[in-house]
Amino acid sequence: MQLKPLAQAPKEPTIALINIVFLMLIFFMIAGTLAPPIDKDLTLVKTTDLEGREPPDTLVVHADGRLSLRGKPVADAAGYLFGLPAEAREVVKIVPDQALPAKDLVRLGNALRAAGAGRVVLISERAL
């Protein structure tokens, strides 16, 4: 019995794979530079020493869970919504303290939704 040599499998063309990888590389290089970089000579404004103020008609939630509106205490979420006109209840804005536990913030959001708020929006400090 005579053994036959095995037929060699046709080679996979790797040039197509190299072309695809090269095109992806060019795509991500272009897509990654959509925003122009900030000038190196530019010095940004420091806002750490500024006094922050909440936007008007925004419910402030303190670290201990107290609620206030324009510096005056608010009893609860339903009491806050009761004082708002109907169109202002569509989007309710909250400014939570950084030290407020997340579970308390979620509980307040759920209470506002249950009391009739259309959408609850959190206001936070914007960082660069």
Side-chain angles (χ1 to χ4, degrees):
M1 184 165 174
Q2 199 174 26
L3 293 175
K4 292 183 182 179
L6 291 174
Q8 290 184 351
K11 291 186 177 180
E12 298 277 333
T14 57
I15 194 75
L17 181 61
I18 292 171
N19 286 339
I20 291 172
V21 171
F22 182 72
L23 288 173
M24 288 176 57
L25 176 67
I26 291 174
F27 170 78
F28 286 115
M29 286 174 54
I30 293 171
T33 58
L34 290 178
I38 297 176
D39 273 344
K40 292 183 183 12
D41 299 335
L42 181 67
T43 305
L44 297 176
V45 175
K46 304 286 185 204
T47 60
T48 56
D49 297 331
L50 294 178
E51 179 183 335
R53 291 190 180 89
E54 70 271 5
D57 297 328
T58 302
L59 184 63
V60 177
V61 186
H62 300 272
D64 58 359
R66 289 179 296 120
L67 304 175
S68 65
L69 176 65
R70 297 187 202 113
K72 297 177 182 168
V74 175
D76 58 0
Y80 168 70
L81 284 178
F82 181 72
L84 293 177
E87 61 272 359
R89 294 180 193 163
E90 291 299 318
V91 178
V92 176
K93 298 175 187 168
I94 301 175
V95 177
D97 190 283
Q98 183 177 9
L100 180 72
K103 64 179 181 176
D104 293 344
L105 185 59
V106 170
R107 190 178 305 126
L108 175 63
N110 290 337
L112 286 167
R113 292 290 303 224
R119 206 173 78 184
V120 178
V121 177
L122 298 178
I123 308 294
S124 66
E125 182 178 47
R126 183 176 181 184
L128 181 63

